[in-house]
Amino acid sequence: MKMVTTRGGSSSSSSFSISSFCCKIFPVKPSSPSSFTILRLFILLILFIFIFNFYSRSILEDEENLNLRLSSQDFVSQQLPQQLPGEKLWEAPFSDGLHSCVNPTSKYQAFHGGDRYITLRSNGGLNQMRTGIADMVAVSRMMNATLVIPELDKRSFWQDKSIFSDIFDEDHFIDSLKRDVRVIKKLPQELVSIPRGRKHFTSWGGLGYYEEMTKLWVDYQVIHVPKSDSRLANNDLPLDIQRLRCRALYHALRFSPSIETLGKKLVERLRSHGGRYISLHLRYEKDMLAFSGCTYGLSDTEAEELRLLRENTNHWKVKKINSTEQRIAGLCPLTPKEVGIFLQALGYPPSTVIYVAAGEIYGGKTHLSELTSRFPNVLFKEMIATKEELRIYSDHASQTAALDYIISLESDVFIPTHSGNMARTVEGHRRFLGHRKTITPDRKGLVEIFDKLERGQLKEGLSLQHLVKHLQEKRQGAPRKREGAPDGIKGRARYRLEESFYQNPYPECICSSKHTHR
């Protein structure tokens, strides 16, 4: 084959070869101008097809490689540097200038009663008692009665023998409410032996109900109230009564100095681990699982143990519970494994410090390992406090719950795995203090996602993260007014389904900047 050299000196053998090849297939006379033009067009067409095939194959290979990288990202997402959390994971929702406001209105008058008395036995765990006491402060005001320092529940599941002053700053409680209601430590001696009226006040009572109850003073000077929780309606009460409830709960019911001091120390120690931390209210204790009838993820032996506990606990009225139905309805607490998946999907890295604000986790390390395998920095109070510091709180569940409350209140993020009394009360208090970030899992929606994971219809990674973040988008503790009962619910049944006043005291105790903060 002869080499044709171009003017620039480079070889052009390939053009000559193609031309020769084409001429053999399509014989034409080289001297014909039209034939020469056809030959040149044919050569260009061949070159175009060659170039098109080459780049098309390259593009397809690039797309295939990109898809492979995206699919493999699901597998390695936990180890990628870009997974480190941004400020958005920790920042509080925008509160639009709202702040707490508990000052009485100009019409509010100082308390002038004093010759009628209410004695009270608070019932339930720590936060059920706290909100009940705050309610009874307001009830005492409405009934123009002196409130005797409440007796705390000693017969509940926790069998805590603490008295009021063991948990709360008694003198501060009395002094801070002196303009609102008279509070005394003990009933006057001359009244101890006189007959008392024993009255179970109705649940979710309003102002009209308690004004009617003042007729009890005709026959009695002392009324004993054996149950304190949910004695006041969530809504439709005078503004001054609602703000009194907030003053009682958030200002007057301060914990005892020893609890406050240790609680703040533990917060400082948690921050020393990494600056920021999540307080996880992991409701996976034995009593919670037995009461709710939730046995998902447990062995048959564990499920039977919980069933027997529920059957043998007299004050738990519901004995037969379908665990599957409970879980599908979103009524079960998240399991440790589900919590781990949830936090990872939200974007929190494995290095996140997590404080578990709860009692003993059922099944111990066996079940807890399903969380710690993803988040190794899981801490309990026993890990950040000395044995000596905790010694005085042993066998006093309400006092240790108070430590958990302080740590949860001061956390950067609070996440409850079930909507119990502590979850609702801490959420409301955090709203009151400026809408600190509180993530309330949509348990019903999450169950659907977790079940898809278990069935292999969904894999952990970008798709899961998108689903979970979208589900939780409006459940970060942002300002909103308290929710009423669902549409169509009438009569007294609506009270039970309303959002608790103490879960969200907006708008009565949370105001815009034109109001004065107390």
Side-chain angles (χ1 to χ4, degrees), residues 342-414:
F342 176 67
L343 291 176
Q344 213 163 54
L346 288 176
Y348 290 98
S351 60
T352 302
V353 175
I354 300 173
Y355 175 78
V356 176
E360 183 178 355
I361 302 303
Y362 186 59
K365 291 183 179 179
T366 301
H367 293 307
L368 192 63
S369 63
E370 295 177 314
L371 171 61
T372 56
S373 62
R374 296 170 184 265
F375 293 90
N377 292 328
V378 172
L379 301 172
F380 292 81
K381 65 179 70 66
E382 293 80 6
M383 300 167 69
I384 56 174
T386 66
K387 289 183 178 180
E388 184 61 27
E389 285 173 328
L390 294 178
R391 182 183 57 79
I392 61 172
Y393 302 110
S394 62
D395 300 323
H396 294 293
S398 292
Q399 294 183 50
T400 55
L403 293 173
D404 283 341
Y405 189 94
I406 293 171
I407 294 170
S408 297
L409 189 65
E410 297 300 327
S411 65
D412 297 278
V413 180
F414 175 63

Side-chain angles (χ1 to χ4, degrees), residues 199-226:
K199 181 62 180 177
H200 282 269
F201 290 133
T202 188
S203 299
W204 302 294
L207 177 62
Y209 171 80
Y210 284 105
E211 287 178 341
E212 184 181 348
M213 287 299 101
T214 58
K215 65 185 180 183
L216 292 170
W217 300 130
V218 174
D219 299 316
Y220 301 101
Q221 192 174 355
V222 180
I223 297 173
H224 178 67
V225 181

Side-chain angles (χ1 to χ4, degrees), residues 84 105 108 225 419 500-501:
L84 291 175
T105 67
Y108 193 77
V225 181
S419 56
S500 167
F501 173 78

Side-chain angles (χ1 to χ4, degrees), residues 177-457:
L177 292 171
K178 62 185 178 184
R179 188 170 183 267
D180 304 298
V181 64
R182 183 182 174 215
V183 182
I184 59 174
K185 294 184 179 181
K186 293 181 179 180
L187 195 66
Q189 188 61 38
E190 65 272 16
L191 300 178
V192 171
S193 59
I194 67 171
R196 303 183 194 181
R198 182 180 172 88
K199 181 62 180 177
H200 282 269
F201 290 133
T202 188
S203 299
W204 302 294
L207 177 62
Y209 171 80
Y210 284 105
E211 287 178 341
E212 184 181 348
M213 287 299 101
T214 58
K215 65 185 180 183
L216 292 170
W217 300 130
V218 174
D219 299 316
Y220 301 101
Q221 192 174 355
V222 180
I223 297 173
H224 178 67
V225 181
K227 189 176 181 181
S228 63
D229 67 314
S230 303
R231 297 306 97 184
L232 269 181
N234 294 307
N235 303 299
D236 303 321
L237 286 170
L239 178 60
D240 276 323
I241 293 300
Q242 297 288 59
R243 289 191 175 178
L244 174 55
R245 296 169 84 180
C246 289
R247 291 198 297 277
L249 186 64
Y250 303 135
H251 291 177
L253 275 172
R254 190 168 68 189
F255 293 119
S256 68
S258 61
I259 291 175
E260 288 279 348
T261 300
L262 180 56
K264 290 173 182 176
K265 280 184 181 179
L266 299 185
V267 169
E268 291 173 1
R269 291 172 192 172
L270 276 168
R271 297 212 180 280
S272 71
H273 280 78
R276 296 183 288 202
Y277 69 94
I278 291 173
S279 178
L280 177 68
H281 189 38
L282 185 60
R283 291 310 317 270
Y284 211 70
E285 304 101 332
K286 185 176 183 179
D287 65 297
M288 180 64 213
L289 296 176
F291 174 76
S292 63
C294 297
T295 59
Y296 173 77
L298 300 180
S299 67
D300 291 341
T301 302
E302 289 172 326
E304 178 63 13
E305 181 184 26
L306 296 178
R307 185 190 68 80
L308 291 174
L309 174 59
R310 185 170 65 254
E311 295 242 345
N312 295 325
T313 304
N314 293 329
H315 59 274
W316 291 350
K317 304 301 181 185
V318 181
K319 300 300 182 183
K320 293 184 178 181
I321 300 175
N322 186 311
S323 178
T324 302
E325 291 179 357
Q326 284 281 96
R327 183 170 177 271
I328 291 173
L331 300 176
C332 288
L334 299 183
T335 69
K337 180 180 179 179
E338 291 170 340
V339 171
I341 296 171
F342 176 67
L343 291 176
Q344 213 163 54
L346 288 176
Y348 290 98
S351 60
T352 302
V353 175
I354 300 173
Y355 175 78
V356 176
E360 183 178 355
I361 302 303
Y362 186 59
K365 291 183 179 179
T366 301
H367 293 307
L368 192 63
S369 63
E370 295 177 314
L371 171 61
T372 56
S373 62
R374 296 170 184 265
F375 293 90
N377 292 328
V378 172
L379 301 172
F380 292 81
K381 65 179 70 66
E382 293 80 6
M383 300 167 69
I384 56 174
T386 66
K387 289 183 178 180
E388 184 61 27
E389 285 173 328
L390 294 178
R391 182 183 57 79
I392 61 172
Y393 302 110
S394 62
D395 300 323
H396 294 293
S398 292
Q399 294 183 50
T400 55
L403 293 173
D404 283 341
Y405 189 94
I406 293 171
I407 294 170
S408 297
L409 189 65
E410 297 300 327
S411 65
D412 297 278
V413 180
F414 175 63
I415 304 177
T417 62
H418 194 262
S419 56
N421 289 301
M422 177 168 170
R424 290 191 293 268
T425 311
V426 171
E427 179 184 349
H429 202 162
R430 289 172 68 87
R431 288 181 179 277
F432 179 79
L433 292 175
H435 293 91
R436 298 175 179 178
K437 189 162 190 173
T438 300
I439 300 175
T440 53
D442 183 342
R443 297 191 304 279
K444 186 175 181 180
L446 287 170
V447 164
E448 295 179 14
I449 293 174
F450 295 147
D451 285 348
K452 286 182 179 179
L453 279 174
E454 190 171 331
R455 291 192 297 264
Q457 298 173 335

